[in-house]
Amino acid sequence: QVQLVESGGGLVQAGGSLRLSCAASGRTFSSYAMGWFRQAPGKEREFVAAITWSGGITYYADSVKGRFTISRDNAKNTVYLQMNSLKPEDTAVYYCAARDGGRRAGLTLAEYAYWGQGTQVTVSS
């Protein structure tokens, strides 16, 4: 099992940047694919970005492509989400998730067994 704790959320003006971090417990972090999802009020949780165990392959939702970057540091058991050019529509609770079988990064909620508690990101206009 792995436990996940997100941090780095906050309030930022449109056009600004934030970097989210997700710290994982356990010695097998490098074996997991990792993902970021978000959930806005009244909406379903949606995929944002994912990364394979080695960091060699990344995926992004079309809505964040070119603005967000997912990365990981296996030595630090941490995955990051760098968010630039933030928009009010990026406002949501952001969750990181871990998926067994790290060679393939999942794009759907059902593929991830482990979830963090979430961190709030609010973008003001």
Side-chain angles (χ1 to χ4, degrees):
Q1 278 198 349
V2 61
Q3 293 184 327
L4 306 171
V5 179
E6 302 96 334
S7 62
L11 174 64
V12 64
Q13 288 188 334
S17 298
L18 282 174
R19 188 176 81 155
L20 305 183
S21 299
C22 174
S25 64
R27 298 178 296 173
T28 59
F29 174 75
S30 61
S31 69
Y32 293 97
M34 300 297 295
W36 284 98
F37 292 77
R38 66 186 182 185
Q39 188 167 17
K43 296 188 176 181
E44 294 185 348
R45 196 171 298 188
E46 64 177 7
F47 169 77
V48 175
I51 188 168
T52 53
W53 70 277
S54 66
I57 301 175
T58 57
Y59 300 89
Y60 297 94
D62 287 343
S63 59
V64 306
K65 202 170 293 184
R67 299 188 298 121
F68 290 11
T69 303
I70 187 171
S71 62
R72 66 189 295 162
D73 185 339
N74 287 341
K76 296 183 178 180
N77 282 12
T78 302
V79 63
Y80 304 98
L81 186 68
Q82 178 66 45
M83 305 186 296
N84 299 328
S85 302
L86 282 160
K87 304 175 182 180
E89 51 263 44
D90 294 318
T91 295
V93 177
Y94 283 71
Y95 299 88
C96 73
R99 180 185 183 280
D100 292 313
R103 292 185 181 274
R104 188 174 71 83
L107 307 185
T108 65
L109 278 72
E111 295 177 88
Y112 290 85
Y114 309 105
W115 293 83
Q117 83 290 347
T119 186
Q120 176 71 46
V121 171
T122 303
V123 184
S124 63
S125 57

